[in-house]
Coordinates of all heavy atoms in Angstrom, one line a residue:
M1 N 209.8 129.5 208.2 CA 209.9 128.2 208.7 C 210.8 127.4 207.8 O 210.7 127.4 206.6 CB 208.5 127.6 208.8 CG 208.5 126.3 209.6 SD 206.8 126.0 210.0 CE 206.8 124.3 210.2
A2 N 211.8 126.7 208.4 CA 212.8 126.0 207.7 C 212.1 124.7 207.1 O 211.3 124.1 207.8 CB 214.0 125.6 208.6
K3 N 212.6 124.3 205.9 CA 212.1 123.1 205.3 C 212.8 121.9 205.9 O 214.0 121.9 206.0 CB 212.3 123.2 203.8 CG 211.7 122.1 203.0 CD 211.9 122.4 201.5 CE 211.1 121.3 200.8 NZ 211.3 121.5 199.3
V4 N 212.0 120.9 206.3 CA 212.6 119.7 206.9 C 212.6 118.6 205.8 O 211.6 118.3 205.2 CB 211.7 119.3 208.1 CG1 212.2 118.0 208.7 CG2 211.7 120.4 209.1
N5 N 213.7 118.0 205.7 CA 213.9 116.9 204.7 C 214.2 115.6 205.5 O 215.3 115.2 205.8 CB 215.0 117.1 203.7 CG 214.6 118.2 202.8 OD1 213.6 118.2 202.2 ND2 215.5 119.2 202.6
V6 N 213.1 114.9 205.9 CA 213.3 113.6 206.6 C 213.6 112.5 205.6 O 212.8 112.3 204.7 CB 212.0 113.3 207.4 CG1 212.1 112.0 208.1 CG2 211.7 114.4 208.5
I7 N 214.7 111.9 205.9 CA 215.1 110.8 205.0 C 214.7 109.4 205.5 O 214.1 108.6 204.8 CB 216.6 110.8 204.8 CG1 217.1 112.1 204.1 CG2 217.1 109.6 203.9 CD1 216.4 112.5 202.8
C8 N 215.0 109.2 206.8 CA 214.5 108.0 207.5 C 213.2 108.3 208.2 O 213.3 108.9 209.3 CB 215.6 107.4 208.4 SG 215.1 105.9 209.3
R9 N 212.1 107.9 207.6 CA 210.8 108.3 208.1 C 210.5 107.5 209.4 O 209.9 107.9 210.3 CB 209.7 108.1 207.1 CG 209.8 109.2 206.1 CD 208.7 109.0 205.0 NE 209.4 108.2 203.9 CZ 208.8 107.5 203.0 NH1 207.6 107.4 203.0 NH2 209.5 106.9 202.1
C10 N 211.0 106.2 209.5 CA 210.7 105.4 210.6 C 211.4 106.0 211.9 O 210.8 105.9 213.0 CB 211.3 104.0 210.4 SG 210.6 103.1 209.0
E11 N 212.6 106.5 211.8 CA 213.3 107.1 212.9 C 213.3 108.6 212.9 O 213.9 109.2 213.8 CB 214.7 106.5 213.0 CG 214.8 105.0 213.1 CD 214.2 104.5 214.4 OE1 214.3 105.2 215.5 OE2 213.6 103.4 214.4
E12 N 212.7 109.2 211.9 CA 212.6 110.7 211.8 C 214.0 111.3 211.8 O 214.2 112.3 212.5 CB 211.7 111.3 212.9 CG 210.3 110.7 212.8 CD 209.4 111.4 213.9 OE1 209.8 112.3 214.6 OE2 208.2 110.9 214.0
I13 N 214.9 110.8 210.9 CA 216.2 111.4 210.8 C 216.2 112.2 209.5 O 215.9 111.8 208.4 CB 217.3 110.3 210.7 CG1 217.1 109.3 211.9 CG2 218.7 110.8 210.6 CD1 217.4 110.0 213.2
E14 N 216.7 113.5 209.7 CA 216.8 114.4 208.6 C 218.1 114.3 207.8 O 219.1 113.9 208.4 CB 216.6 115.8 209.1 CG 215.2 116.1 209.7 CD 215.1 117.4 210.4 OE1 215.8 118.4 209.9 OE2 214.3 117.6 211.3
I15 N 218.1 114.8 206.6 CA 219.3 114.7 205.7 C 220.4 115.5 206.3 O 221.6 115.1 206.2 CB 218.9 115.2 204.3 CG1 220.1 114.9 203.3 CG2 218.6 116.7 204.2 CD1 220.4 113.5 203.1
D16 N 220.1 116.6 206.9 CA 221.2 117.4 207.5 C 222.0 116.7 208.6 O 223.2 116.8 208.8 CB 220.7 118.8 208.1 CG 220.2 119.7 207.0 OD1 220.7 119.5 205.8 OD2 219.4 120.6 207.3
E17 N 221.2 115.9 209.4 CA 221.8 115.1 210.5 C 222.7 114.0 209.9 O 223.8 113.7 210.3 CB 220.8 114.5 211.4 CG 221.4 113.9 212.6 CD 220.3 113.5 213.7 OE1 219.1 113.7 213.4 OE2 220.7 113.0 214.7
I18 N 222.2 113.4 208.8 CA 223.0 112.3 208.2 C 224.3 112.9 207.6 O 225.3 112.3 207.8 CB 222.1 111.7 207.0 CG1 221.0 110.9 207.7 CG2 223.0 110.8 206.2 CD1 219.9 110.4 206.7
R19 N 224.2 114.0 206.9 CA 225.4 114.7 206.4 C 226.3 115.1 207.5 O 227.6 115.0 207.3 CB 224.9 115.9 205.6 CG 224.3 115.5 204.3 CD 223.8 116.8 203.5 NE 223.2 116.4 202.2 CZ 222.3 117.1 201.6 NH1 221.9 118.3 202.1 NH2 221.8 116.7 200.4
E20 N 225.8 115.5 208.6 CA 226.7 115.9 209.7 C 227.5 114.7 210.2 O 228.7 114.8 210.4 CB 225.8 116.5 210.8 CG 226.6 116.9 212.1 CD 225.6 117.4 213.2 OE1 224.7 118.1 212.9 OE2 225.9 117.0 214.3
W21 N 226.9 113.6 210.4 CA 227.5 112.4 210.9 C 228.5 111.8 209.8 O 229.6 111.4 210.2 CB 226.5 111.3 211.3 CG 226.0 111.6 212.6 CD1 224.8 112.3 212.9 CD2 226.5 111.2 213.9 NE1 224.6 112.4 214.3 CE2 225.6 111.8 214.9 CE3 227.6 110.5 214.3 CZ2 225.9 111.6 216.3 CZ3 227.8 110.3 215.7 CH2 227.0 110.9 216.6
I22 N 228.2 111.9 208.6 CA 229.1 111.5 207.5 C 230.4 112.4 207.6 O 231.5 111.9 207.5 CB 228.5 111.6 206.1 CG1 227.4 110.5 206.0 CG2 229.5 111.4 205.0 CD1 226.5 110.6 204.8
A23 N 230.2 113.7 207.7 CA 231.3 114.7 207.8 C 232.2 114.4 209.0 O 233.4 114.6 209.0 CB 230.8 116.1 207.9
R24 N 231.6 113.8 210.1 CA 232.4 113.4 211.3 C 233.2 112.2 211.1 O 234.0 111.8 211.9 CB 231.5 113.2 212.5 CG 230.8 114.4 213.0 CD 229.9 114.0 214.2 NE 229.1 115.1 214.6 CZ 228.2 115.0 215.6 NH1 227.9 113.8 216.2 NH2 227.5 116.0 215.9
G25 N 233.0 111.5 209.9 CA 233.8 110.3 209.6 C 233.0 109.0 209.6 O 233.6 107.9 209.4
Y26 N 231.7 109.1 209.9 CA 230.9 107.9 209.9 C 230.4 107.6 208.5 O 229.4 108.1 208.0 CB 229.7 108.0 210.8 CG 230.1 108.1 212.3 CD1 230.5 109.4 212.8 CD2 230.1 107.0 213.1 CE1 230.9 109.4 214.1 CE2 230.5 107.1 214.4 CZ 230.9 108.3 214.9 OH 231.3 108.4 216.2
D27 N 231.2 106.9 207.7 CA 231.0 106.9 206.2 C 230.6 105.5 205.8 O 230.9 105.1 204.6 CB 232.2 107.4 205.4 CG 233.5 106.7 205.7 OD1 233.5 105.8 206.5 OD2 234.5 107.1 205.1
T28 N 230.0 104.7 206.6 CA 229.4 103.4 206.2 C 228.0 103.4 206.7 O 227.6 104.0 207.7 CB 230.1 102.2 206.7 OG1 229.9 102.1 208.1 CG2 231.6 102.2 206.4
F29 N 227.1 102.6 206.0 CA 225.7 102.5 206.4 C 225.6 101.9 207.8 O 224.9 102.4 208.6 CB 224.9 101.7 205.4 CG 223.5 101.8 205.7 CD1 222.7 102.8 205.2 CD2 222.8 100.8 206.4 CE1 221.3 102.9 205.4 CE2 221.5 100.9 206.7 CZ 220.7 101.9 206.2
D30 N 226.4 100.9 208.1 CA 226.3 100.3 209.4 C 226.7 101.2 210.5 O 226.2 101.2 211.6 CB 227.2 99.0 209.5 CG 226.5 97.8 208.8 OD1 225.3 97.9 208.6 OD2 227.2 96.8 208.5
E31 N 227.7 102.1 210.3 CA 228.1 103.1 211.3 C 227.0 104.1 211.6 O 226.7 104.4 212.7 CB 229.4 103.9 210.9 CG 230.6 103.0 211.0 CD 231.8 103.8 210.4 OE1 231.7 104.6 209.5 OE2 232.9 103.5 210.9
L32 N 226.4 104.5 210.5 CA 225.2 105.5 210.7 C 224.0 104.7 211.3 O 223.3 105.3 212.1 CB 224.8 106.0 209.3 CG 225.9 107.0 208.7 CD1 225.5 107.3 207.2 CD2 226.0 108.2 209.5
K33 N 223.9 103.5 211.0 CA 222.8 102.7 211.6 C 223.0 102.6 213.1 O 222.1 102.8 213.9 CB 222.8 101.3 211.0 CG 221.7 100.4 211.4 CD 221.8 99.1 210.6 CE 220.8 98.1 210.9 NZ 220.8 96.9 210.1
R34 N 224.2 102.4 213.6 CA 224.5 102.3 215.0 C 224.3 103.6 215.7 O 223.9 103.7 216.8 CB 225.9 101.8 215.2 CG 226.1 100.3 215.0 CD 227.4 99.8 215.5 NE 228.5 100.2 214.7 CZ 229.0 99.6 213.6 NH1 228.4 98.5 213.2 NH2 230.0 100.1 212.9
E35 N 224.7 104.7 215.1 CA 224.6 106.0 215.7 C 223.2 106.6 215.6 O 222.8 107.3 216.5 CB 225.6 107.0 215.1 CG 227.1 106.6 215.3 CD 227.4 106.5 216.8 OE1 227.0 107.4 217.6 OE2 228.2 105.6 217.2
L36 N 222.6 106.5 214.4 CA 221.3 107.2 214.2 C 220.1 106.3 214.2 O 219.0 106.8 214.1 CB 221.4 108.0 212.9 CG 222.5 109.0 212.8 CD1 222.5 109.6 211.3 CD2 222.2 110.1 213.8
R37 N 220.3 105.0 214.1 CA 219.2 104.0 214.0 C 218.6 104.0 212.6 O 217.5 103.5 212.4 CB 218.2 104.2 215.1 CG 218.7 103.9 216.4 CD 217.6 103.9 217.5 NE 216.4 103.1 217.1 CZ 216.3 101.8 217.2 NH1 217.3 101.1 217.7 NH2 215.1 101.2 216.9
V38 N 219.2 104.6 211.6 CA 218.6 104.6 210.2 C 218.6 103.1 209.8 O 219.5 102.3 210.1 CB 219.4 105.4 209.2 CG1 219.3 106.9 209.5 CG2 220.9 105.0 209.2
G39 N 217.5 102.7 209.1 CA 217.4 101.3 208.6 C 217.0 100.3 209.7 O 217.0 99.2 209.4
M40 N 216.6 100.8 210.9 CA 216.2 99.9 211.9 C 214.7 99.9 212.2 O 214.2 99.3 213.1 CB 217.0 100.2 213.2 CG 218.5 99.9 213.0 SD 219.4 100.2 214.5 CE 219.0 98.8 215.5
G41 N 214.0 100.7 211.5 CA 212.5 100.8 211.7 C 211.8 99.7 211.0 O 212.4 98.8 210.5
P42 N 210.5 99.8 211.0 CA 209.7 98.8 210.3 C 210.0 98.5 208.9 O 209.9 97.4 208.4 CB 208.2 99.3 210.5 CG 208.3 100.3 211.6 CD 209.7 100.8 211.6
C43 N 210.5 99.5 208.2 CA 210.8 99.3 206.7 C 212.2 98.7 206.5 O 212.5 98.3 205.4 CB 210.7 100.6 206.0 SG 212.2 101.7 206.0
Q44 N 213.0 98.6 207.6 CA 214.3 97.9 207.5 C 215.2 98.6 206.4 O 216.0 97.9 205.8 CB 214.2 96.4 207.2 CG 213.5 95.6 208.3 CD 214.3 95.5 209.5 OE1 215.4 94.9 209.4 NE2 213.9 96.0 210.6
G45 N 215.1 99.9 206.3 CA 215.9 100.6 205.3 C 215.4 100.7 203.9 O 216.1 101.3 203.1
R46 N 214.3 100.1 203.6 CA 213.8 100.1 202.2 C 213.5 101.5 201.8 O 213.5 101.8 200.6 CB 212.6 99.2 202.1 CG 213.1 97.7 202.0 CD 211.9 96.8 201.7 NE 210.8 96.8 202.7 CZ 210.8 96.1 203.8 NH1 211.8 95.4 204.2 NH2 209.7 96.2 204.6
G47 N 213.2 102.4 202.7 CA 212.8 103.8 202.4 C 214.0 104.7 202.4 O 214.0 105.8 201.7
C48 N 215.1 104.4 203.1 CA 216.2 105.4 203.3 C 217.5 104.9 202.8 O 218.4 105.7 202.5 CB 216.3 105.8 204.7 SG 216.7 104.5 205.9
R49 N 217.7 103.6 202.7 CA 219.1 103.1 202.4 C 219.7 103.7 201.2 O 220.9 104.1 201.2 CB 219.0 101.5 202.3 CG 220.4 100.9 202.1 CD 220.3 99.4 201.9 NE 219.4 98.8 202.9 CZ 219.8 98.4 204.2 NH1 221.1 98.6 204.5 NH2 219.0 97.9 205.0
D50 N 219.0 103.7 200.0 CA 219.5 104.2 198.8 C 219.9 105.6 198.9 O 221.0 106.0 198.4 CB 218.6 103.9 197.6 CG 218.4 102.5 197.2 OD1 219.3 101.7 197.6 OD2 217.4 102.2 196.6
I51 N 219.1 106.4 199.5 CA 219.4 107.9 199.7 C 220.7 108.0 200.5 O 221.6 108.8 200.2 CB 218.2 108.6 200.3 CG1 217.0 108.5 199.4 CG2 218.6 110.1 200.6 CD1 215.7 109.0 200.0
I52 N 220.8 107.3 201.6 CA 221.9 107.4 202.5 C 223.2 106.9 201.8 O 224.3 107.6 201.9 CB 221.7 106.6 203.8 CG1 220.6 107.3 204.6 CG2 223.0 106.6 204.6 CD1 220.1 106.6 205.8
L53 N 223.1 105.8 201.0 CA 224.3 105.4 200.3 C 224.7 106.4 199.2 O 225.9 106.6 199.0 CB 224.0 104.0 199.6 CG 223.7 102.9 200.5 CD1 223.3 101.6 199.7 CD2 225.0 102.6 201.4
R54 N 223.8 107.1 198.6 CA 224.2 108.2 197.7 C 224.8 109.3 198.4 O 225.8 109.9 197.9 CB 222.9 108.7 196.9 CG 222.5 107.7 195.8 CD 221.5 108.3 194.8 NE 220.3 108.8 195.4 CZ 219.2 108.2 195.6 NH1 219.1 106.9 195.1 NH2 218.1 108.7 196.1
E55 N 224.4 109.7 199.6 CA 225.0 110.7 200.4 C 226.5 110.3 200.8 O 227.4 111.2 200.7 CB 224.2 111.1 201.6 CG 222.9 111.8 201.3 CD 223.2 113.2 200.7 OE1 224.1 113.9 201.1 OE2 222.5 113.5 199.7
I56 N 226.6 109.1 201.1 CA 228.0 108.6 201.5 C 228.9 108.7 200.2 O 230.0 109.1 200.3 CB 227.9 107.2 202.0 CG1 227.2 107.1 203.4 CG2 229.3 106.6 202.1 CD1 226.9 105.8 203.9
S57 N 228.3 108.3 199.1 CA 229.0 108.3 197.8 C 229.5 109.7 197.5 O 230.6 110.0 197.1 CB 228.2 107.8 196.7 OG 228.8 107.9 195.5
K58 N 228.6 110.7 197.6 CA 228.9 112.1 197.4 C 230.1 112.6 198.3 O 231.0 113.3 197.8 CB 227.7 113.0 197.6 CG 226.7 113.0 196.4 CD 225.7 114.1 196.7 CE 224.3 113.6 196.5 NZ 223.3 114.5 196.8
A59 N 230.0 112.2 199.5 CA 230.9 112.7 200.5 C 232.3 112.1 200.4 O 233.3 112.7 200.6 CB 230.4 112.5 201.9
T60 N 232.3 110.8 200.0 CA 233.6 110.1 199.9 C 234.2 110.0 198.5 O 235.4 109.7 198.4 CB 233.4 108.6 200.4 OG1 232.5 108.0 199.6 CG2 233.0 108.6 201.9
G61 N 233.4 110.3 197.5 CA 233.9 110.2 196.1 C 233.9 108.8 195.6 O 234.3 108.5 194.5
K62 N 233.4 107.8 196.4 CA 233.3 106.4 196.0 C 232.0 106.2 195.2 O 231.0 106.8 195.6 CB 233.3 105.5 197.2 CG 234.6 105.5 198.0 CD 234.5 104.5 199.1 CE 235.6 104.5 200.1 NZ 235.4 103.7 201.2
P63 N 232.1 105.3 194.2 CA 230.8 105.0 193.6 C 229.9 104.2 194.5 O 230.4 103.5 195.4 CB 231.2 104.1 192.4 CG 232.7 104.1 192.3 CD 233.2 104.7 193.6
V64 N 228.6 104.3 194.4 CA 227.7 103.6 195.3 C 227.9 102.1 195.3 O 227.8 101.5 196.3 CB 226.2 104.0 194.9 CG1 225.2 103.1 195.7 CG2 225.9 105.4 195.1
S65 N 228.3 101.6 194.1 CA 228.6 100.2 194.0 C 229.7 99.7 194.9 O 229.8 98.5 195.2 CB 228.8 99.8 192.5 OG 230.0 100.5 192.1
E66 N 230.6 100.6 195.3 CA 231.7 100.2 196.2 C 231.4 100.4 197.6 O 232.2 100.1 198.5 CB 232.9 101.0 195.8 CG 233.5 100.6 194.4 CD 234.8 101.4 194.1 OE1 235.4 102.0 195.0 OE2 235.2 101.4 192.9
I67 N 230.2 100.9 198.0 CA 229.8 101.1 199.4 C 229.0 100.0 199.8 O 228.0 99.6 199.2 CB 229.1 102.5 199.5 CG1 230.0 103.6 199.0 CG2 228.6 102.7 200.9 CD1 229.3 104.9 198.9
A68 N 229.4 99.4 201.0 CA 228.6 98.3 201.5 C 227.2 98.7 201.9 O 227.0 99.8 202.5 CB 229.3 97.7 202.8
P69 N 226.2 98.0 201.5 CA 224.8 98.4 201.7 C 224.4 98.2 203.2 O 223.3 98.5 203.6 CB 224.0 97.5 200.8 CG 224.9 96.3 200.7 CD 226.3 96.7 200.7
G70 N 225.2 97.7 204.0 CA 224.9 97.5 205.4 C 224.4 96.0 205.7 O 224.0 95.3 204.8
T71 N 224.4 95.7 206.9 CA 224.0 94.4 207.4 C 222.5 94.3 207.5 O 221.9 95.2 208.1 CB 224.6 94.0 208.7 OG1 226.0 94.2 208.6 CG2 224.3 92.6 209.2
M72 N 221.9 93.3 206.9 CA 220.5 93.1 207.0 C 220.3 91.7 207.8 O 221.0 90.8 207.5 CB 219.8 93.0 205.7 CG 219.9 94.3 204.9 SD 219.1 94.3 203.3 CE 217.4 94.5 203.8
R73 N 219.4 91.8 208.7 CA 219.1 90.5 209.4 C 217.6 90.1 209.2 O 216.7 90.9 209.1 CB 219.3 90.8 210.9 CG 220.8 91.0 211.2 CD 221.0 91.1 212.7 NE 222.4 91.1 213.0 CZ 223.3 92.1 212.8 NH1 222.8 93.2 212.2 NH2 224.5 92.0 213.1
P74 N 217.4 88.8 209.1 CA 216.1 88.3 208.8 C 215.2 88.6 210.1 O 215.7 88.6 211.2 CB 216.2 86.8 208.6 CG 217.6 86.5 209.1 CD 218.4 87.7 209.2
P75 N 213.9 88.7 209.9 CA 213.2 88.7 208.6 C 213.4 90.1 208.0 O 213.3 91.1 208.7 CB 211.8 88.5 209.0 CG 211.6 89.0 210.4 CD 212.9 88.8 211.0
V76 N 213.7 90.1 206.7 CA 213.9 91.3 206.0 C 212.6 92.1 205.9 O 212.6 93.3 205.9 CB 214.6 91.1 204.6 CG1 214.7 92.3 203.8 CG2 215.9 90.4 204.8
K77 N 211.5 91.4 205.7 CA 210.2 92.0 205.7 C 209.5 91.6 206.9 O 209.6 90.5 207.4 CB 209.4 91.5 204.5 CG 209.8 92.2 203.2 CD 208.8 91.8 202.1 CE 209.0 92.7 200.9 NZ 207.9 92.7 200.0
P78 N 208.8 92.5 207.6 CA 208.0 92.2 208.8 C 207.0 91.1 208.4 O 206.3 91.1 207.4 CB 207.3 93.5 209.1 CG 208.0 94.5 208.4 CD 208.6 93.9 207.2
I79 N 206.9 90.1 209.3 CA 206.0 89.0 209.1 C 205.2 88.8 210.5 O 205.8 89.1 211.5 CB 206.6 87.7 208.7 CG1 207.6 87.2 209.6 CG2 207.2 87.8 207.3 CD1 208.2 85.8 209.3
K80 N 204.1 88.2 210.4 CA 203.3 87.9 211.6 C 203.9 86.8 212.3 O 204.3 85.8 211.7 CB 201.8 87.6 211.2 CG 201.1 88.8 210.7 CD 199.7 88.5 210.4 CE 198.9 89.7 209.9 NZ 197.5 89.4 209.6
L81 N 204.0 86.9 213.6 CA 204.6 85.9 214.5 C 203.8 84.6 214.3 O 204.3 83.5 214.4 CB 204.6 86.3 215.9 CG 205.4 85.5 216.9 CD1 206.8 85.3 216.5 CD2 205.3 86.1 218.3
S82 N 202.5 84.7 214.1 CA 201.6 83.5 214.0 C 202.1 82.6 212.8 O 202.0 81.4 212.8 CB 200.2 83.8 213.8 OG 200.0 84.6 212.6
L83 N 202.7 83.2 211.7 CA 203.2 82.4 210.6 C 204.4 81.6 211.0 O 204.6 80.5 210.6 CB 203.5 83.4 209.4 CG 202.3 84.1 208.8 CD1 202.9 85.1 207.7 CD2 201.4 83.1 208.2
L84 N 205.2 82.2 211.8 CA 206.4 81.4 212.3 C 206.0 80.3 213.3 O 206.5 79.2 213.3 CB 207.4 82.4 213.1 CG 208.0 83.4 212.2 CD1 208.9 84.3 213.1 CD2 208.9 82.8 211.1
A85 N 205.0 80.6 214.1 CA 204.5 79.6 215.1 C 203.9 78.4 214.4 O 203.9 77.3 214.9 CB 203.5 80.2 216.0
E86 N 203.3 78.6 213.2 CA 202.7 77.5 212.5 C 203.7 76.4 212.1 O 203.3 75.2 212.1 CB 202.0 78.0 211.2 CG 200.8 78.8 211.4 CD 200.2 79.3 210.0 OE1 200.8 79.0 209.0 OE2 199.2 80.1 210.1
D87 N 204.9 76.8 211.9 CA 206.0 75.8 211.6 C 206.3 74.9 212.8 O 206.9 73.9 212.6 CB 207.2 76.5 211.1 CG 207.0 77.2 209.7 OD1 206.1 76.7 209.0 OD2 207.8 78.0 209.3
C88 N 206.0 75.4 214.0 CA 206.4 74.6 215.2 C 205.3 73.6 215.6 O 205.5 72.8 216.5 CB 206.6 75.6 216.3 SG 208.1 76.6 216.0
E89 N 204.2 73.6 215.0 CA 203.1 72.7 215.4 C 203.2 71.4 214.8 O 203.8 71.1 213.8 CB 201.7 73.3 214.9 CG 201.4 74.6 215.7 CD 200.1 75.2 215.2 OE1 199.4 74.7 214.4 OE2 199.8 76.3 215.7

């Protein structure tokens, strides 16, 4: 049985699939996000972003510091809707 290395647990995306898309030319986090939905689950990329950025770095030869970490939209952490509704009262 083949070993499975799931990198984005929220969307169940494996490292091999991420590497395949990077090899196709999708070498930014936002491009991979649009194609694979990495970073769009409940953790908002906190579990997979760093690993994916390192994979992009390896494939492109750019340092991780030069790779855009991707667009993050609020709320960055999941919050209860009731907390937002309290501000409207």
Side-chain angles (χ1 to χ4, degrees):
M1 188 161 155
K3 189 174 183 181
V4 178
N5 290 313
V6 175
I7 299 304
C8 179
R9 288 176 267 159
C10 297
E11 298 297 327
E12 298 182 6
I13 305 296
E14 298 175 24
I15 190 68
D16 291 339
E17 188 171 5
I18 292 167
R19 288 176 178 156
E20 179 184 318
W21 282 90
I22 293 170
R24 290 180 187 175
Y26 294 83
D27 59 0
T28 69
F29 188 84
D30 280 341
E31 288 174 327
L32 293 170
K33 185 176 181 178
R34 283 190 291 274
E35 295 299 322
L36 300 174
R37 295 188 46 81
V38 293
M40 295 181 77
C43 83
Q44 295 288 298
R46 286 187 296 280
C48 64
R49 182 181 316 273
D50 290 342
I51 297 168
I52 294 170
L53 293 175
R54 284 194 302 268
E55 286 299 318
I56 294 170
S57 173
K58 281 190 229 175
T60 62
K62 294 180 187 175
V64 173
S65 61
E66 290 182 15
I67 299 170
T71 305
M72 297 180 78
R73 293 189 170 72
V76 175
K77 284 191 165 191
I79 59 171
K80 293 182 179 182
L81 191 56
S82 62
L83 294 174
L84 295 174
E86 287 176 6
D87 290 340
C88 295
E89 293 177 8

